[in-house]
Amino acid sequence: MPDLDLEALPETPDVQGGFPRLSEEQIGRLVAQGTRRPTRTGEILYREGEECPDFFVVLDGKVAAIEDYDGDPKVVYVHGPGRFLGELGLLTGQRAYLTNVVSQAGEVLVVPVSRLRELVVQDPVLGDLILRAYLIRRALLIETGSGFRLIGSRYSPGTRRLREFAARNRLPCHWIDLEEDKSAEALLRRLGISAEETPVVLLGGTNVLRNPSNAELARAIGLPVGVSRETLCDLVVVGAGPAGLAASVYGASEGLTTITLDAIATGGQAATSSRIENYLGFPAGISGAELAERAVIQANKFGAHFSVPAEASSLYERDGAHAIGLADGTSVLARTVIIATGARYCRLDVPRLEEFEGSTVFYAATLSEALVCQNDPVVVVGGGNSAGQAALFLAGHAAEVRLLVRHGDLCKDMSRYLVDQVERHPRVEVMLHTEIRELIGHDGVLEAVVAEDNLTGEPKKLDAKALFVFIGAAPHTQWLADTLALDERGFILTGPAAGAAQDCAPNLLETSRPGIFAVGDVRSGSIKRVASAVGEGSMAVRLVFEHFQGQGTTTSVS
């Protein structure tokens, strides 16, 4: 047992609403669903790296949440009477990132998570209180560098891949760079791990993953990577951005057996947005990550099944059904398919770009990336809403932000409300008619960029410890080959346009193959906004039912 004076640990003050105290009435409703039991000082309620099937409420005494309990323990926070344990992973099925140990004897209420989920559906006030606290706690874990440890070199493609996977899935991760932290080498020697076996992931102090694939890390963390893939389902949603998540929620809530696949993470590009301020119903704005987490929990509530990572690699017919071939060699069968694979940001055409990607060149601006450039100068490239949101968010962490736009009108592609905020922010400098020509740095670390005024040709060297790129998007349709009609840029044709290509009359969002629909950014002619993507995702489910009716078939629940 670590040498900690548990009883002397003070209770953590409420931070940003992440540590609320339940009312007596709320505790009373939970008591009816659980069991009260006494606790003793030093008792471990659950350990880091373990699944936790129960929801704990502290009735008396205190409980400390501790990182690396059996190694070099660090107290993250302490709960007193009226507070509840856990964070977002409790609701999503992930393993615990902290060990919860009784620091002062008392009593706890133990409620099975399955009963908790039922209760919060019936009590939206209590449910929102718990969910909001869990979302804030997850953000705090990421910000403080808690979570599983990733040991690897900044030059390693595997390290960059795992860091991106953790960031996109909002997983708490503490990266230890072998190039800077020499103590990491000693740790690897103690574990008997050679340099060739890195990057290494340490979970719970005992579970060691040597250069794991994204799927292996997902399984170890507890992400939902496995579904029954040979059973014919009503609906497969390919892509879990806003459009795909909306389709998942509405499909499952209408009784369709629904499976949702995504190659990287739920939330899509929207999850990389620090603040969406023009989304209906959220006057104070909402982060893309929070919107995605809420949608996933909502879809799970209705019975949707998620599989992440699961990369679609082909689309074909089999036994009268649509088959989605996956990169791991398996396939999923469905009566209908909604494609919501979105689009990916384009890369800059400048020398040495690949050398800095993943370490100091980024295509997302989440808290994970912001912590890399804390108090440093950064450059953001792009003139759309994503670039504007990134510039504003990064200005809260970086010393200065330069926003480079190749044309001369910031209002051309950016919403007016964002333009006003960007132009007023004291740490954001807008540089119009400006493009990057050169990257300067060494050992994978960016130091500066050379930008050029595309009207005068005048070059200018700008200090930059990180570069964020948001310069347009290309659709994720390479896996479709020649199976669907696409426009000249590779976006999926739907409705009358798709009918002209295949001599048929599909519904509004239906592709050139009956029973296959496209929604969101991947659809030709779509409006590239979160709200419109959500609308298309929900509308597509209505068209799925119309397809079933037109075919004279029934769903699995009919």
Side-chain angles (χ1 to χ4, degrees):
M1 179 179 294
D3 185 18
L4 284 176
D5 187 0
L6 295 174
E7 293 190 346
L9 295 175
E11 185 176 356
T12 302
D14 191 11
V15 178
Q16 305 170 15
F19 303 94
R21 212 176 297 276
L22 298 176
S23 68
E24 291 185 6
E25 181 184 1
Q26 289 169 331
I27 292 176
R29 288 199 292 275
L30 288 165
V31 165
Q33 303 295 323
T35 304
R36 305 170 71 124
R37 69 174 179 83
T39 60
R40 66 182 187 280
T41 301
E43 177 186 356
I44 294 176
L45 300 181
Y46 58 87
R47 282 186 175 274
E48 178 182 349
E50 295 179 352
E51 291 186 35
C52 182
D54 298 314
F55 173 76
F56 289 88
V57 179
V58 181
L59 300 177
D60 188 28
K62 294 179 183 178
V63 176
I66 300 174
E67 182 183 19
D68 196 14
Y69 182 69
D70 295 314
D72 183 15
K74 169 190 170 186
V75 177
V76 180
Y77 37 75
V78 179
H79 300 285
R83 292 186 175 175
F84 49 89
L85 311 187
E87 57 91 49
L88 190 62
L90 186 74
L91 294 179
T92 59
Q94 296 174 31
R95 287 168 173 77
Y97 292 102
L98 303 171
T99 296
N100 279 261
V101 56
V102 177
S103 59
Q104 187 179 97
E107 186 181 29
V108 294
L109 173 64
V110 186
V111 180
V113 172
S114 58
R115 292 186 186 175
L116 174 71
R117 292 194 180 107
E118 296 173 3
L119 183 63
V120 297
V121 171
Q122 302 164 6
D123 188 340
V125 174
L126 177 61
D128 196 64
L129 177 75
I130 294 172
L131 177 56
R132 178 165 176 74
Y134 278 176
L135 288 167
I136 292 172
R137 292 181 194 180
R138 171 59 63 91
L140 290 172
L141 287 179
I142 294 173
E143 186 173 358
T144 57
S146 298
F148 67 85
R149 282 178 288 176
L150 169 62
I151 304 175
S153 167
R154 71 180 66 169
Y155 307 121
S156 164
T159 300
R160 292 197 295 269
R161 169 179 54 81
L162 292 171
R163 288 184 65 204
E164 179 185 7
F165 183 76
R168 291 291 300 274
N169 283 278
R170 287 84 66 194
L171 300 176
C173 171
H174 177 56
W175 172 44
I176 302 173
D177 188 355
L178 281 172
E179 307 302 325
E180 291 188 357
D181 193 335
K182 299 307 178 184
S183 64
E185 295 183 4
L187 174 60
L188 293 180
R189 285 195 297 270
R190 288 201 305 271
L191 295 173
I193 298 171
S194 65
E196 292 75 21
E197 294 177 294
T198 60
V200 170
V201 171
L202 303 181
L203 297 167
T206 57
N207 191 5
V208 179
L209 304 178
R210 292 168 166 82
N211 193 17
S213 66
N214 289 355
E216 289 169 337
L217 176 58
R219 282 193 293 269
I221 291 295
L223 290 176
V225 295
V227 293
S228 179
R229 293 173 176 170
E230 292 304 316
T231 302
L232 182 65
C233 64
D234 295 322
L235 172 64
V236 165
V237 180
V238 186
L245 289 173
S248 304
V249 169
Y250 280 87
S253 68
E254 293 296 328
L256 300 178
T257 53
T258 303
I259 294 176
T260 303
L261 314 172
D262 198 280
I264 300 176
T266 57
Q269 288 188 22
T272 67
S273 296
S274 57
R275 180 68 47 182
I276 303 171
E277 295 194 57
N278 59 352
Y279 190 71
L280 183 67
F282 293 90
I286 184 172
S287 72
E290 181 174 348
L291 185 66
E293 297 289 9
R294 286 178 176 269
V296 170
I297 292 171
Q298 190 176 19
N300 283 329
K301 177 184 75 174
F302 291 121
H305 300 278
F306 285 85
S307 187
V308 179
E311 181 180 359
S313 58
S314 62
L315 176 65
Y316 55 95
E317 290 187 10
R318 192 175 92 188
D319 301 328
H322 303 295
I324 296 92
L326 303 179
D328 64 3
T330 63
S331 61
V332 181
L333 294 177
R335 293 183 173 91
T336 57
V337 178
I338 294 177
I339 299 174
T341 46
R344 63 185 181 277
Y345 284 112
C346 299
R347 302 169 74 241
L348 285 173
D349 184 18
V350 295
R352 300 181 66 193
L353 179 68
E354 187 174 341
E355 178 182 340
F356 301 105
E357 284 181 319
S359 58
T360 46
V361 172
F362 305 104
Y363 299 89
T366 68
L367 183 59
S368 297
E369 288 84 16
L371 293 175
V372 174
C373 55
Q374 190 80 26
N375 299 322
D376 289 326
V378 303
V379 167
V380 178
V381 180
N385 279 2
S386 295
Q389 290 165 346
L392 290 172
F393 174 65
L394 293 168
H397 298 268
E400 59 180 346
V401 178
R402 289 187 172 95
L403 178 61
L404 276 52
V405 184
R406 65 179 178 177
H407 53 70
D409 183 7
L410 197 57
C411 293
K412 179 181 177 182
D413 300 309
M414 191 180 297
S415 297
R416 182 72 248 181
Y417 82 93
L418 267 179
V419 172
D420 292 341
Q421 293 182 46
V422 167
E423 290 181 337
R424 289 198 309 262
H425 202 290
R427 284 198 295 276
V428 178
E429 178 186 356
V430 179
M431 302 179 66
L432 302 176
H433 296 296
T434 305
E435 299 182 59
I436 290 182
R437 300 303 186 205
E438 184 182 348
L439 305 179
I440 300 173
H442 64 279
D443 295 336
V445 178
L446 189 69
E447 296 175 353
V449 302
V450 176
E452 180 184 271
D453 186 312
N454 57 28
L455 293 181
T456 66
E458 179 184 357
K460 185 175 183 179
K461 182 179 178 181
L462 306 174
D463 291 336
K465 298 298 184 182
L467 173 64
F468 295 82
V469 182
F470 304 93
I471 58 169
H476 279 293
T477 54
Q478 66 277 9
W479 62 282
L480 294 172
D482 299 322
T483 57
L484 297 179
L486 308 177
D487 68 12
E488 65 279 2
R489 296 187 299 158
F491 291 87
I492 301 174
L493 292 169
T494 58
Q502 296 293 334
D503 193 26
C504 59
N507 287 320
L508 180 63
L509 300 177
E510 197 168 20
T511 69
S512 54
R513 285 180 56 176
I516 299 179
F517 304 82
V519 296
D521 288 1
V522 75
R523 187 177 71 83
S524 179
S526 66
I527 298 174
K528 307 301 189 278
R529 291 289 186 270
V530 172
S532 60
V534 170
E536 288 188 9
S538 58
M539 185 167 62
V541 173
R542 177 66 260 171
L543 300 180
V544 165
F545 277 99
E546 291 183 10
H547 170 77
F548 285 139
Q549 293 169 359
Q551 296 291 312
T553 59
T554 60
T555 70
S556 61
V557 295
S558 298

